[in-house]
Amino acid sequence: RLGRVPKFLILTASGRFGELLRMVRTGRELEEKNGQDPWVFLLGESWLHVLCFDFSGVRRLSEIVMRSDAEPHAVWIRTISRISSGYDSLYRGNPVEALQCFSEVCDPRITPGFILHWHWRLQARLGVTEALLQAGDISGAHREADDLVASALAAADPGMRALAWEMKSRAARAENDFDGARVSIENALAILDRFEIPVAAWRVHRTAWDLCSDFGDPEKAGEHRMLARELIMRIAGSFDDGEPLRQSL
């Protein structure tokens, strides 16, 4: 079953959310019919809900999984639940609570290592930087963004590299270091030129839009805004009509 996880990540990074959702729901139904624990499919569906900003959906799925709470896969579910809770807290304007959730994922004493744990810890470190920015700890966000970029560059994941540079750009912008912000976002955009990673790309273009607006370049800002919107609509359009996650995204 663990062999399916890389495929989940590939479908996720390429924005094929609808295909992923159909796959995990079909797999979950088949596993349940065969009397097996469908935890790996619930994991994939839970992360999809996070990416579509449906945090209540993650909580519902986590409750299904944690009723069995079978080891060793419980660490996966707890990790996704903590990341989801962190982003839920961020969007509710509670960065202190969010920081606690993300920090628990980064702490090996609380979240021990597991297969592909580096991916989820990088996701949590993105959340840590976001929480520090929201809390107004700009110097802390700068330090975390620097470490995040170094860690992401050591990983063979272009999506994470692009998101790390995007976060570093936002941290620099918060410090009014616009030259540093521009260099970082250009590094992120250069990655988009080489890889088809729409889930990371729309976030990069969103930040590029903000920066170009700061620089007084409305034409360029409009181009990035249009690209960000097109990417989100393409991802959302991969869902079937009537799928609630489509509207959530």
Side-chain angles (χ1 to χ4, degrees), residues 12-244:
T12 299
S14 60
R16 292 149 65 185
F17 285 9
E19 182 180 345
L20 174 58
L21 183 62
R22 289 187 290 272
M23 184 181 77
V24 297
R25 286 181 174 170
T26 300
R28 176 182 168 187
E29 182 180 349
L30 183 60
E31 294 269 88
E32 289 174 339
K33 190 176 295 183
N34 291 334
Q36 297 177 306
D37 188 344
W39 72 271
V40 73
F41 295 103
L42 286 163
L43 174 74
E45 188 170 353
S46 294
W47 187 241
L48 191 53
H49 279 262
V50 173
L51 294 175
C52 292
F53 308 97
D54 178 23
F55 305 112
S56 62
V58 180
R59 286 192 293 272
R60 289 194 302 272
L61 289 167
S62 297
E63 288 168 3
I64 293 171
V65 176
M66 297 314 289
R67 282 201 294 268
S68 65
D69 197 29
E71 298 294 349
H73 68 250
V75 66
W76 294 71
I77 305 304
R78 293 191 191 104
T79 298
I80 298 299
S81 296
R82 284 174 175 138
I83 294 174
S84 172
S85 296
Y87 279 111
D88 189 18
S89 297
L90 275 180
Y91 290 116
R92 288 188 289 104
N94 191 338
V96 175
E97 185 178 295
L99 189 59
Q100 176 65 30
C101 294
F102 294 130
S103 296
E104 288 176 357
V105 177
C106 298
D107 188 341
R109 295 168 299 178
I110 298 173
T111 304
F114 55 94
I115 295 176
L116 291 176
H117 68 274
W118 60 268
H119 175 83
W120 307 110
R121 284 187 177 152
L122 282 175
Q123 292 286 351
R125 293 187 70 178
L126 281 169
V128 167
T129 314
E130 185 90 51
L132 291 171
L133 283 174
Q134 190 177 112
D137 184 356
I138 307 305
S139 60
H142 185 144
R143 289 193 300 272
E144 185 63 33
D146 285 344
D147 290 343
L148 175 62
V149 168
S151 296
L153 290 178
D157 185 335
M160 289 305 308
R161 292 180 180 183
L163 289 174
W165 281 118
E166 183 267 346
M167 187 61 75
K168 184 174 172 63
S169 176
R170 290 171 57 199
R173 181 172 178 253
E175 291 184 306
N176 294 320
D177 176 11
F178 294 105
D179 287 339
R182 181 177 58 229
V183 169
S184 292
I185 205 64
E186 286 174 352
N187 286 334
L189 289 167
I191 295 171
L192 303 189
D193 289 338
R194 302 195 304 274
F195 299 95
E196 183 72 16
I197 43 175
V199 175
W202 78 258
R203 297 174 186 269
V204 172
H205 284 298
R206 173 199 59 189
T207 298
W209 162 28
D210 289 337
L211 272 178
C212 289
S213 297
D214 290 338
F215 293 141
D217 190 346
E219 183 177 352
K220 198 70 174 176
E223 291 175 4
H224 286 295
R225 180 181 184 276
M226 180 184 67
L227 286 169
R229 184 180 186 279
E230 287 178 353
L231 287 164
I232 292 171
M233 296 304 293
R234 187 202 310 171
I235 297 168
S238 71
F239 288 117
D240 294 335
D241 291 339
E243 168 55 49

